[in-house]
Amino acid sequence: MNKNYLTYLKAESKSPNTISSYIHYVQSALDFIGKKEKDIDYNDINNWLANNDLSSNTKRLMKAAIKNYFDFLVKTNQIMTNPVFQINLPALKVKQKHCPKSYMIRGLIDNCFNIRDQAMIMFLATTGLRFNEMINITLDQFNNMTGESGREIEIVGKGGKRRTVFINDDTKRLVDKYLLIRGEQEGPLFITNRNDKVKNNNFNLMLKQVAKKAEIPFWQDVSAHWLRVAFATTKANSGIPLHIIQYSLGHSNIKTTMGYIKNDQEAINKAMMTMAF
């Protein structure tokens, strides 16, 4: 793999998770094909995709990764054309989206194994932050929150965009309890027992275990991203204007925000009950 590709991905403002996935799949393709990039053709990439017995959605991600890599090689004049353009994959299968409910969030918090996990779940569910945005908040930022109420933290989001999040009473109370155990060493607000940043994969694994314990029927689908969806959905159901939810999530396009808000059939039924002509 070209040594400058990682720098290229960072310059494109790809998220850490996307960068990790792209690097993994590009290296997988190059190892499987065993040729120099300039000699790789349509058949080589198609054989690599066919050799992986994975879902169509995963194969779409694999194709996106290898296409991005060859786009980079074309832009840097290392190859003439991108062989991935000729490859078609099955249509994206949209997973069923489960509507989050407030009691489910409470169930997660009540069934946690420790106070740190409780605080992290509450933090994500009440701020709408991405996991990487939350995990980059430092202890110093939390201890020195700004704003008229002293509850605001400025974070750097996707694409380097800055926005301000508000920490409510319940969240601050749980974080304060966690800090009694964490200690005052500098660094990220949420850390492991070894004083390292908590990893997204480990957090999601914990969430699934807790969701199963809380008897959430779709516990396998509960993740940090699901908590972000829960934030958007519960705020929308509470009557918060869409543009406020958009800002809170850090979305540039309001259509993206609308995709996060899941319809609550119970709320739809109640709304229809009140309709009279």
Side-chain angles (χ1 to χ4, degrees):
M1 186 187 306
N2 189 286
K3 62 182 181 180
N4 294 318
Y5 182 53
L6 178 59
T7 303
Y8 172 77
L9 290 175
K10 291 180 178 178
E12 283 198 319
S13 298
K14 299 292 186 186
S15 72
N17 285 344
T18 298
I19 291 175
S20 177
S21 295
Y22 277 23
I23 293 292
H24 170 74
Y25 287 126
V26 169
Q27 193 60 60
S28 169
L30 296 177
D31 290 344
F32 176 83
I33 295 169
K35 293 182 179 178
K36 293 182 178 179
E37 285 92 329
K38 65 182 181 63
D39 297 323
I40 293 175
D41 59 22
Y42 163 89
N43 288 324
D44 295 322
I45 297 171
N46 204 38
N47 288 339
W48 169 62
L49 291 169
N51 187 67
N52 287 276
D53 186 20
L54 300 168
S55 70
S56 58
N57 288 0
T58 300
K59 287 189 176 183
R60 291 182 71 86
L61 176 58
M62 293 164 68
K63 178 187 174 182
I66 198 70
K67 176 184 177 300
N68 182 274
Y69 180 62
F70 279 97
D71 278 345
F72 158 72
L73 295 178
V74 170
K75 289 176 181 177
T76 53
N77 299 316
Q78 296 177 63
I79 60 172
M80 296 298 295
T81 59
N82 189 336
V84 184
F85 280 117
Q86 305 171 51
I87 295 177
N88 294 316
L89 290 175
L92 180 67
K93 292 182 180 178
V94 179
K95 288 185 177 180
Q96 179 184 2
K97 299 297 183 181
H98 304 286
C99 181
K101 303 289 184 72
S102 297
Y103 75 84
M104 295 177 182
I105 306 300
R106 176 49 59 187
L108 289 174
I109 293 169
D110 290 345
N111 284 278
C112 276
F113 305 105
N114 58 62
I115 184 62
R116 185 205 67 185
D117 293 346
Q118 285 184 319
M120 292 178 74
I121 291 172
M122 182 69 85
F123 209 103
L124 290 174
T126 58
T127 62
L129 290 178
R130 300 176 178 90
F131 179 83
N132 285 324
E133 291 171 342
M134 177 188 71
I135 213 63
N136 283 323
I137 292 174
T138 65
L139 176 64
D140 183 66
Q141 283 179 290
F142 183 81
N143 285 337
N144 296 283
M145 288 188 281
T146 60
E148 291 184 6
S149 57
R151 293 291 186 84
E152 296 175 7
I153 298 177
E154 185 182 68
I155 60 102
V156 179
K158 199 171 184 179
K161 293 181 292 185
R162 294 179 178 272
R163 70 184 189 280
T164 301
V165 296
F166 180 85
I167 308 303
N168 71 16
D169 290 344
D170 289 339
T171 303
K172 187 175 188 305
R173 190 177 303 114
L174 278 177
V175 176
D176 285 342
K177 285 179 66 177
Y178 160 63
L179 291 181
L180 296 176
I181 299 170
R182 179 198 181 280
E184 291 298 323
Q185 60 269 34
E186 295 181 358
L189 176 60
F190 297 108
I191 55 177
T192 68
N193 292 333
R194 297 182 177 180
N195 298 333
D196 297 322
K197 279 186 181 180
V198 179
K199 293 183 178 179
N200 197 353
N201 289 343
N202 293 338
F203 180 77
N204 283 334
L205 178 61
M206 176 277 294
L207 269 182
K208 287 173 173 53
Q209 293 171 339
V210 172
K212 186 176 183 180
K213 185 181 174 186
E215 299 183 349
I216 294 177
F218 47 88
W219 60 269
Q220 300 97 324
D221 297 327
V222 174
S223 64
H225 181 73
W226 182 84
L227 289 174
R228 192 163 147 82
V229 171
F231 169 87
T233 301
T234 54
K235 292 300 179 188
N237 290 340
S238 298
I240 302 300
L242 192 57
H243 70 278
I244 298 296
I245 301 173
Q246 176 191 3
Y247 173 82
S248 300
L249 294 173
H251 288 157
S252 298
N253 192 325
I254 204 163
K255 290 182 179 179
T256 305
T257 306
M258 292 172 66
Y260 275 59
I261 299 170
K262 306 308 168 193
N263 291 325
D264 184 342
Q265 190 59 48
E266 184 179 346
I268 294 172
N269 293 348
K270 287 181 179 179
M272 291 183 174
M273 285 179 191
T274 63
M275 296 179 70
F277 303 96

